[in-house]
């Protein structure tokens, strides 16, 4: 049996309760052939009529009872015949209000949950103040589109009377509210979101997000609709207004002063960093120099540790010898067994002290000798042996040619062989010219003086 077949029932045709409007937000149903405003006839529903609620719709039955107005909701998709066994939600309407009679009185509204309603709005020029320059109110205008839909239909019905709902009136209410909300949001943007007024045109995307967030919250609370999108087409500044020109002049001067101050601060910061780096560099050099000197000093001490120990032990020995030399002073070493009254006697404390000092001196001298003998018996290590003492090299002029170099020992042998005499010309590094051997101080002792060649008489 088809759902929408017309059938005779109590002398009339069955009703088909459905919404065939192509575009609507809220639509009121009335029986076919009955015009709106004809009293109870437009709300008369025959029992056994068919009900169709499409997907994305909700049908609201509004009826009266003795104790008030009641509402019942049927969400789509639903296709059925109105009976108490397949639609228990309506049983109370028939059984209690009309005692099973038909037709019964109820208003039926269809709410479109899938319909997205778009409302274009335009906010005429209004003054926006920058909190940094409160003396200049810059005219700003905004235009755009807001899109919304009904999600929570129960909340929506609480806020609006279905019987007097008109979409055009509702859209106008939404538009007026959006203009108030957008104006309030844009006016507070410089202070709330740190957006300079002169830059608000270039912040359209940021302002779009702020406005959408604010509208979503307010329209849901006040109208029961959910905002699906906000598109701010433009935010416009009246750049020919006197206040805008004055604000631009002030901000330009401020920007120049800010740039100058920032530049000076950066230059000062760079100079300070360079000064600090130079001071750190000098301090680093000083520390490196001192550490190098200290390391060199320690290396020298380590290389000559034997001589350093011998020197210190010798100092101790000298001090001990001086102490021994004074043992007899003031009668410290005198032994007088008599009881003459001249103050003589055996001074045991002084003698013990002298013996102790002498023992210490002896131990130090013995230690020094042992170390010296041990050093002589040890094989010198390559890393602790001091380098050889450099020897002076000499050159001898022989037949107009420089011969050499020779050390002093070689020159001494050459002198004994007669190869070098006091008249021989000698040169060494550091001398400005060749000189006779007899005039060189360090060679006087090794050059044998040759007797003059005898002459014939």
């Amino acid at each position: 049996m088809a759902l929408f077949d017309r059938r005779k029932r109590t002398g009339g045709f069955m009703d088909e309760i459905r919404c065939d409007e192509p575009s609507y937000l809220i639509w009121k149903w009335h029986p076919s052939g009955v015009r709106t405003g004809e009293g109870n006839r437009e709300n008369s529903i025959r029992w056994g009529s068919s009900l169709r609620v499409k997907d994305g719709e909700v049908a609201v039955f509004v009826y009266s009872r003795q104790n008030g107005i009641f509402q019942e909701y049927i969400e789509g998709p639903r296709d059925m015949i109105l009976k108490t066994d397949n639609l228990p939600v309506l049983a109370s309407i028939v059984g209690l209000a009309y005692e099973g009679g038909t037709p019964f009185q109820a208003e039926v509204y269809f709410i479109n949950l899938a319909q997205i309603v778009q409302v274009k709005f335009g906010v005429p020029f209004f003054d926006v103040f920058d909190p940094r320059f409160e003396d200049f109110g810059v005219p700003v205008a905004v235009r755009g589109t807001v899109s919304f839909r009904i999600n929570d239909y129960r909340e929506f019905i609480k806020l609006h009377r279905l019987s007097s709902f008109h979409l055009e009136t509702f859209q106008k209410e939404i538009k007026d509210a959006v203009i108030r909300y957008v104006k309030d949001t844009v006016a507070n943007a410089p202070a709330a979101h740190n957006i300079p007024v002169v830059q608000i045109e270039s912040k359209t995307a940021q302002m779009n997000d702020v406005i959408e967030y604010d509208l979503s919250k307010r329209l849901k609370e006040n109208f029961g609709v959910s905002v699906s999108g906000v598109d701010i087409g433009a935010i416009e500044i009246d750049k020919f207004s006197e206040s805008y020109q004055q604000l631009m002049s002030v901000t330009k001067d401020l920007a120049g002063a800010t740039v100058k101050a920032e530049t000076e601060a950066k230059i000062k910061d760079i100079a300070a960093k360079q000064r600090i780096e130079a001071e750190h560099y000098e301090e680093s050099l000083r520390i490196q120099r001192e550490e190098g000197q200290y390391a060199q000093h320690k290396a020298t001490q380590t290389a000559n540790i034997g001589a350093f120990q011998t020197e210190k032990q010798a100092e101790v020995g000298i001090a001990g010898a001086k102490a021994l030399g004074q043992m007899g002073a003031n009668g410290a070493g005198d032994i007088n067994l008599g009881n003459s009254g001249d103050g003589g006697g055996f001074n045991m404390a002084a003698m013990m002290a002298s013996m102790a000092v002498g023992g210490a001196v002896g131990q130090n001298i013995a230690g020094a000798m042992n170390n010296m003998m041990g050093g002589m018996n040890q094989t010198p290590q390559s890393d602790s042996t001091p380098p050889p003492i450099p020897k002076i090299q000499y050159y001898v002029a022989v037949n107009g040619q420089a011969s050499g170099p020779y050390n002093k020992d070689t020159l001494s042998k050459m002198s004994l062989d007669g190869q070098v005499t006091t008249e021989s010309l000698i040169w060494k590094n550091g001398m400005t010219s060749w000189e006779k051997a007899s005039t060189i101080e360090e060679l006087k002792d090794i050059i044998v003086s040759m007797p003059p060649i005898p002459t014939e008489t």
Side-chain angles (χ1 to χ4, degrees), residues 309-310 313 360-374:
Q309 291 178 345
T310 302
Q313 290 174 347
V361 171
Q363 289 179 359
N364 278 281
I365 294 175
M369 294 300 295
N370 289 334
N371 288 335
M372 291 175 64
M373 294 300 294

Side-chain angles (χ1 to χ4, degrees), residues 345-388:
F346 184 79
N347 192 335
M348 182 61 69
M351 178 170 286
M352 293 298 294
S354 300
M355 292 175 66
V357 172
V361 171
Q363 289 179 359
N364 278 281
I365 294 175
M369 294 300 295
N370 289 334
N371 288 335
M372 291 175 64
M373 294 300 294
M376 292 175 63
N377 295 330
Q378 290 179 356
T379 302
Q381 300 295 325
S382 58
D383 57 348
S384 61
T385 303

Side-chain angles (χ1 to χ4, degrees), residues 315-331:
E315 291 177 358
V316 174
I318 292 173
K322 289 182 179 180
L324 288 174
Q326 294 181 359
M327 288 181 60
N330 298 324

Side-chain angles (χ1 to χ4, degrees), residues 115-121 144-150 174 178 212 215-216 219 225-231:
Q115 176 71 22
I116 296 178
V117 180
Q118 288 187 336
V119 175
K120 294 183 178 181
F121 64 89
T145 303
V146 58
S147 303
F148 61 89
R149 61 192 298 179
I150 299 174
I174 290 285
V178 167
E212 182 172 346
L215 284 181
S216 299
L219 292 183
V225 297
S226 299
V227 174
S228 56
V230 174
D231 181 20

Side-chain angles (χ1 to χ4, degrees), residues 15 17-18 26-31 34-46 51 53 58-65 68-74 82 87 89-90 93-94 97-98 103-111 157 160-165:
D15 295 313
I17 304 174
R18 64 181 184 182
I26 296 177
W27 181 77
K28 182 181 179 182
W29 173 86
H30 54 81
V34 179
R35 298 180 180 180
T36 303
E38 293 186 0
N40 291 336
R41 288 187 62 193
E42 67 173 315
N43 300 326
S44 299
I45 301 176
R46 292 178 175 85
L51 172 66
V53 185
V58 59
V60 183
F61 286 77
V62 182
Y63 59 93
S64 299
R65 291 174 56 176
I69 304 297
F70 294 87
Q71 297 169 345
E72 301 291 350
Y73 308 93
I74 298 92
L82 295 182
L87 195 57
V89 73
L90 295 178
I93 301 176
V94 179
Y98 302 100
F104 61 88
Q105 298 293 313
E107 297 177 358
V108 182
Y109 295 90
F110 284 84
I111 300 177
I157 293 174
H160 306 282
R161 289 179 58 86
L162 295 179
S163 59
S164 59
F165 181 85

